[in-house]
Amino acid sequence: MLASRWFALGTALALASQAHAEPPLPLLSEPSLPVDATAPEPGSGTTAGTGAAAGPFTLPQAADSGTVRLDAANFPYGVVAPPPEPSGRGWSITPSLGLELLATDNLYQSHTNRRADFVTSVVPGLLLSVDTSRLRGLLNYEPSIEFHVARGEQNRVDQNFNGQVLATVVPDSVFLDIRGAGATQAASGGYAPQGLAVTDRNNRVQTSSVQISPYFVHRFGGLGTVQIGYAFQAVSQDIGGNGIGGGRDDGGFTPNGQRYFSDQDFTAHEFYAVGRTGENFGPLAFQTRLDSTSYDGTGVLDGAYRRIASVEARYAVTRTILALVEGGYEGQRYRGVPGIEISEPVWAVGGRLNFSPDSWITAKYGHHDGFNSATVDAVIGVGGRTQIFANYAERLTTNAQRAVDLLAATTLDEQGNPVDSETGAPTAQPFADSFLGVQSNLFRVRRGAISVSQTWPRDRITLTLSREDRQPVSVEAGTTAFSQRGTSGSLTWSHDLTPATSTVGSVQYGRFNSPGSGRGDVFSASAALVTQLMPRLSAFAQYALTTRGDDYASGRALQNVVLVGLRQTF
């Protein structure tokens, strides 16, 4: 799988481009509204990423008066309303055209079937931003059209896009939020979590997700705010598709012939209502939410649903310490083997430490999705140049659901890359990560990650450690379920040589257990040079080395990749 640019290289290229061009508008810049509303908490352990059920309200701040001030940063789906005054920036449309040339000595990262190949990729692009009094948003669309010289059957079109748009239908009352994302990943797993995953076309899964949500917001003075809305969601996951001139779907099998993935798709209809108290309640804050999502899809999502009703309370013990408690009831159903029916109370207790508006820790322990678990979210600033991000959560979900859940928990930076809507930290898209395999089943997913980033005038260094464990709960008929786990670490260093030229270096190591590769490990190292040749012309060159071993191969597979490219904006 050849992505047009991996995240760190794309970021460096964007920074280099900004040296000669005015950057595009940021997406949905957060308004300062007198509304006591807040954001879903990524990884909150509730029905993540589904409208009002995406998580309890966040960031209550104890003001000097002792009241709990709920931030106006976000409501479900990211934004309550644009600023009341028009920005005057209007529309910005930036088309581009990229050409990428890749050479590799081991196309399939195979120990025994080493095949060299040369790949030409044509990557048209469209960066669309809008910032008016009624419409605000950003779309970054970069499909990759690949042509293989030696292995013509591997020709393919990969759809890569991220977009979010908020429309004001009735000022201060009615809004329409539209979001979408698309990317590819290796179905078998066993590849470096971040970076170039060059592999067989029939081992690639194309994921596309979209969400359309009209909603109504009303504020009752200092008493509180209510939001009522509907969300239409659609996700498709296709393996081996989008081949130029057609192709076949023979992926999703282990070397022993066991099928672990088949094409997935669903549509969902969500209805939700959220009520949040205002500043009149002083140090005490409440949120009540009702949410019902019904699925019409394949496999375990055929006739599935998620329903929850809950009340959460937070109390500002001091300006720094907040206590929280949540109670409610949930119902969930999934079709598979065995069928899953959950109908039971949910609860959570925990607290929050606010060191500053941009530095805090939230921790909870409770019962949801049929099990007890803990949730931790943190962002901590150290000394002005160092930031620490941490997250741990457990949830009951599928690979297809995770794709649409991500839409509600993220916003986009000015280049169209997803970032956490609460912390601003770069967010890895689960449907673009090839470390663990893609399965069609329902899992209990445990995921924890911590990253430390240090920023200097010309350098940025990021160290990331992550661990994910997936335990199958219900299996799609006709497939086999596998437990998966993976632990990985990466170190990335970008350095600005000049205002127009940057270098990016990265090393990664991970140990995995995936359905398509069994147990194994992977090491990857890469170095890249990114430069601005002219105000609208960028160039980059990258070398990457990957070595991996697993249960299904004797010895280790070594792959060398050289990638060069040009991108012209218009």
Side-chain angles (χ1 to χ4, degrees):
M1 175 170 45
L2 172 59
S4 62
R5 285 176 298 181
W6 49 286
F7 179 78
L9 181 59
T11 301
L13 182 57
L15 292 174
S17 301
Q18 291 173 13
H20 294 277
E22 182 180 352
L25 303 176
L27 171 68
L28 304 180
S29 57
E30 306 298 354
S32 298
L33 297 177
V35 178
D36 294 323
T38 53
E41 291 184 9
S44 63
T46 58
T47 312
T50 53
F57 50 92
T58 67
L59 290 174
Q61 304 274 342
D64 292 338
S65 62
T67 63
V68 173
R69 180 66 179 176
L70 303 183
D71 280 2
N74 295 294
F75 233 113
Y77 304 126
V79 175
V80 177
E85 70 281 355
S87 66
R89 296 180 180 179
W91 293 79
S92 173
I93 301 176
T94 307
S96 63
L97 182 63
L99 178 66
E100 299 176 0
L101 306 177
L102 179 144
T104 179
D105 61 349
N106 191 354
L107 180 65
Y108 305 134
Q109 284 198 21
S110 172
H111 174 64
T112 58
N113 185 28
R114 295 178 62 89
R115 299 295 180 91
D117 205 350
F118 186 83
V119 185
T120 301
S121 296
V122 179
V123 189
L126 179 65
L127 185 64
L128 170 65
S129 64
V130 57
D131 186 12
T132 70
S133 60
R134 290 293 186 115
L135 197 63
R136 178 167 293 177
L138 185 143
L139 170 66
N140 185 15
Y141 178 48
E142 288 188 5
S144 178
I145 308 168
E146 302 177 14
F147 300 93
H148 292 245
V149 173
R151 312 295 297 178
E153 73 277 7
Q154 297 296 322
N155 294 348
R156 179 181 174 91
V157 179
D158 286 339
Q159 300 294 335
N160 305 296
F161 62 93
N162 277 304
Q164 296 184 7
V165 176
L166 179 73
T168 301
V169 181
V170 178
D172 301 324
S173 297
V174 181
F175 306 93
L176 177 65
D177 186 287
I178 303 174
R179 303 182 178 214
T184 60
Q185 66 189 130
S188 64
Y191 294 83
Q194 305 170 32
L196 295 172
V198 182
T199 186
D200 186 353
R201 179 173 70 84
N202 294 304
N203 188 29
R204 305 187 201 183
V205 174
Q206 171 75 60
T207 299
S208 300
S209 59
V210 65
Q211 179 173 270
I212 303 173
S213 175
Y215 60 88
F216 167 80
V217 177
H218 184 72
R219 174 178 169 85
F220 298 91
L223 292 177
T225 305
V226 65
Q227 178 177 352
I228 301 172
Y230 161 78
F232 171 81
Q233 303 165 349
V235 173
S236 67
Q237 292 189 304
D238 177 27
I239 188 168
N242 289 341
I244 299 175
R248 67 188 191 280
D249 174 6
D250 59 3
F253 289 91
T254 70
N256 296 329
Q258 297 173 297
R259 176 177 281 278
Y260 57 85
F261 178 81
S262 60
D263 289 351
Q264 298 289 296
D265 63 79
F266 74 79
T267 58
H269 303 275
E270 178 189 21
F271 298 88
Y272 66 90
V274 180
R276 299 183 174 105
T277 57
E279 62 270 19
N280 289 1
F281 285 77
L284 186 62
F286 292 94
Q287 172 181 274
T288 300
R289 61 192 180 97
L290 302 172
D291 188 280
S292 177
T293 305
S294 299
Y295 297 91
D296 180 10
T298 56
V300 297
L301 293 179
D302 182 15
Y305 61 75
R306 288 172 168 175
R307 296 167 184 165
I308 189 168
S310 69
V311 177
E312 181 179 343
R314 292 194 176 189
Y315 183 77
V317 180
T318 69
R319 296 181 61 184
T320 302
I321 302 173
L322 294 96
L324 65 91
V325 61
E326 179 184 7
Y329 203 87
E330 72 172 349
Q332 296 191 50
R333 182 176 70 189
Y334 296 91
R335 176 173 295 180
V337 182
I340 299 298
E341 292 271 358
I342 298 173
S343 182
E344 58 190 31
V346 294
W347 57 269
V349 294
R352 183 185 182 95
L353 296 177
N354 287 327
F355 306 111
S356 72
D358 301 319
S359 188
W360 45 265
I361 299 175
T362 299
K364 298 188 295 183
Y365 182 82
H367 184 85
H368 64 93
D369 290 347
F371 50 79
N372 295 343
S373 68
T375 301
V376 177
D377 287 288
V379 53
I380 301 173
V382 181
R385 294 191 180 276
T386 303
Q387 279 191 303
I388 301 173
F389 301 97
N391 169 268
Y392 176 80
E394 300 182 31
R395 63 190 57 177
L396 191 67
T397 188
T398 68
N399 279 294
Q401 285 176 306
R402 292 182 77 182
V404 76
D405 286 351
L406 183 76
L407 296 179
T410 58
T411 184
L412 303 180
D413 67 14
E414 54 194 29
Q415 296 297 321
N417 300 304
V419 296
D420 189 294
S421 58
E422 185 178 3
T423 66
T427 300
Q429 300 178 104
F431 48 88
D433 189 334
S434 298
F435 189 48
L436 297 182
V438 185
Q439 297 189 53
S440 310
N441 309 306
L442 178 69
F443 290 90
R444 177 178 176 177
V445 178
R446 301 177 177 91
R447 177 171 175 80
I450 182 170
S451 65
V452 181
S453 180
Q454 192 167 63
T455 303
W456 296 85
R458 298 173 63 182
D459 297 87
R460 182 178 180 90
I461 302 173
T462 302
L463 173 65
T464 301
L465 302 174
S466 65
R467 167 77 175 182
E468 183 165 326
D469 185 284
R470 304 176 189 172
Q471 296 297 323
V473 175
S474 182
V475 183
E476 179 187 11
T479 67
T480 301
F482 295 84
S483 297
Q484 295 190 79
R485 66 192 62 87
T487 304
S488 66
S490 67
L491 178 65
T492 302
W493 177 24
S494 63
H495 175 71
D496 296 334
L497 297 173
T498 70
T501 304
S502 301
T503 59
V504 182
S506 175
V507 293
Q508 303 175 68
Y509 178 77
R511 299 188 65 86
F512 58 82
N513 185 352
S514 71
S517 302
R519 292 185 299 271
D521 70 296
V522 59
F523 171 80
S524 177
S526 67
L529 179 69
V530 188
T531 189
Q532 192 81 15
L533 300 177
M534 293 187 293
R536 293 185 177 272
L537 180 64
S538 301
F540 70 91
Q542 180 182 2
Y543 168 74
L545 176 148
T546 301
T547 174
R548 60 192 295 269
D550 57 57
D551 286 343
Y552 296 130
S554 59
R556 300 187 65 83
L558 177 67
Q559 181 189 65
N560 293 279
V561 173
V562 176
L563 175 65
V564 296
L566 292 172
R567 176 163 291 275
Q568 175 73 51
T569 60
F570 304 97

